[in-house]
Amino acid sequence: TDSPQQAILSFERAIRMAQQDSEQDHTQMQLGLLKKLAATQKELKDHPSALKALDEALVIAPADSSLVIEKAELLLEMEQLEKAGEWVESQLAENPTDPHLNLQAALILRLLGDLPKAAVRAQSALHGFQENGSENEGTLAATIGGQIAIAMLRDEDAAAILATTAGMHPQQHANDSAVAYYCLLGELALQNNEEVAAADVLTRALQIDPQHPRALALHTRLRIRQGGG
């Protein structure tokens, strides 16, 4: 098996070959190679080189939201939080309804401490996913929106956001995002003394990850309330 360094050399050679032909199929091949190169450079923690490859890929596909988000996440890894926020906001100016971009913006704004604006972005993401997205995406956006609302001491808003996902059940392969969703539902249920509802969602969380710290802590709170110790 090729080492990451050997893979990088192979990708770079293939990219140079693809650049010699402007045909559409070669352009797509070049894009795919740049994505693989960026991923490999990122794996090696060579963030500047990974960023360079992503920028070259974005020249080919500037409207590819997955590339936009990948660049934002790379900037976050490079601890360039404000630059990541500026990057995503600049892309939202071009495509303001993209739910993936809105969700990424919400996450970054939350890290920056701008909770009101983060809440707006999370709500836009939720609306977008509810119109055209999967249950996993919708519940993830609702979870983030709910967490932001709770951080703003607006538990009623959090409950209203999560109420829009009633009947949704994120699939187990979503792992952390699904557990976070059920934990947030459980936390709100406990606050409202809805022990049956709390037991249901916390059981779902523990079925996905029996050792999840937050789910275990909430389940312990529930057992204490029920007199189970």
Side-chain angles (χ1 to χ4, degrees):
T1 304
D2 287 347
S3 68
Q5 290 85 352
Q6 290 172 321
I8 287 170
L9 291 173
S10 297
F11 292 146
E12 289 177 340
R13 281 196 299 269
I15 289 167
R16 286 195 296 271
M17 292 176 62
Q19 287 173 334
Q20 295 172 4
D21 197 326
S22 60
E23 294 287 339
Q24 183 176 358
D25 55 343
H26 286 280
T27 300
Q28 290 304 311
M29 182 177 70
Q30 183 183 354
L31 178 60
L33 289 167
L34 284 166
K35 289 180 178 180
K36 291 179 181 178
L37 176 60
T40 305
Q41 297 282 22
K42 186 177 178 181
E43 182 182 344
L44 291 172
K45 305 299 182 183
D46 186 352
H47 293 148
S49 295
L51 187 60
K52 180 176 181 292
L54 284 176
D55 282 336
E56 291 179 11
L58 282 160
V59 171
I60 298 172
D64 186 333
S65 61
S66 67
L67 284 174
V68 172
I69 290 169
E70 192 172 346
K71 178 175 177 177
E73 291 175 344
L74 181 59
L75 289 169
L76 290 175
E77 284 192 27
M78 297 170 71
E79 298 183 353
Q80 296 184 20
L81 181 55
E82 291 186 359
K83 192 170 183 178
E86 291 169 359
W87 164 246
V88 174
E89 290 293 337
S90 72
Q91 298 305 301
L92 275 167
E94 300 293 328
N95 194 0
T97 61
D98 187 308
H100 297 95
L101 294 182
N102 274 294
L103 188 59
Q104 186 66 48
L107 291 168
I108 294 172
L109 287 163
R110 180 170 64 174
L111 290 172
L112 287 168
D114 190 345
L115 296 181
K117 193 170 181 179
V120 172
R121 290 299 190 196
Q123 192 68 24
S124 295
L126 178 58
H127 287 159
F129 286 134
Q130 287 177 334
E131 290 179 1
N132 187 21
S134 68
E135 283 196 351
N136 288 339
E137 290 171 326
T139 53
L140 175 59
T143 301
I144 293 169
Q147 290 170 342
I148 292 169
I150 287 175
M152 296 172 68
L153 305 178
R154 296 179 177 175
D155 290 3
E156 290 185 2
D157 289 351
I161 291 168
L162 290 169
T164 67
T165 66
M168 290 187 182
H169 298 293
Q171 298 175 13
Q172 292 194 9
H173 64 70
N175 294 329
D176 287 347
S177 61
V179 174
Y181 171 69
Y182 287 128
C183 283
L184 189 57
L185 286 173
E187 182 177 355
L188 290 171
L190 285 171
Q191 288 178 4
N192 292 324
N193 297 315
E194 298 170 353
E195 294 178 359
V196 173
D200 176 58
V201 293
L202 293 176
T203 296
R204 292 178 185 273
L206 290 169
Q207 286 174 341
I208 297 172
D209 184 354
Q211 301 303 319
H212 193 277
R214 182 61 177 156
L216 288 171
L218 289 168
H219 193 258
T220 298
R221 281 176 54 189
L222 175 63
R223 284 177 56 82
I224 291 172
R225 285 195 182 190
Q226 294 174 330

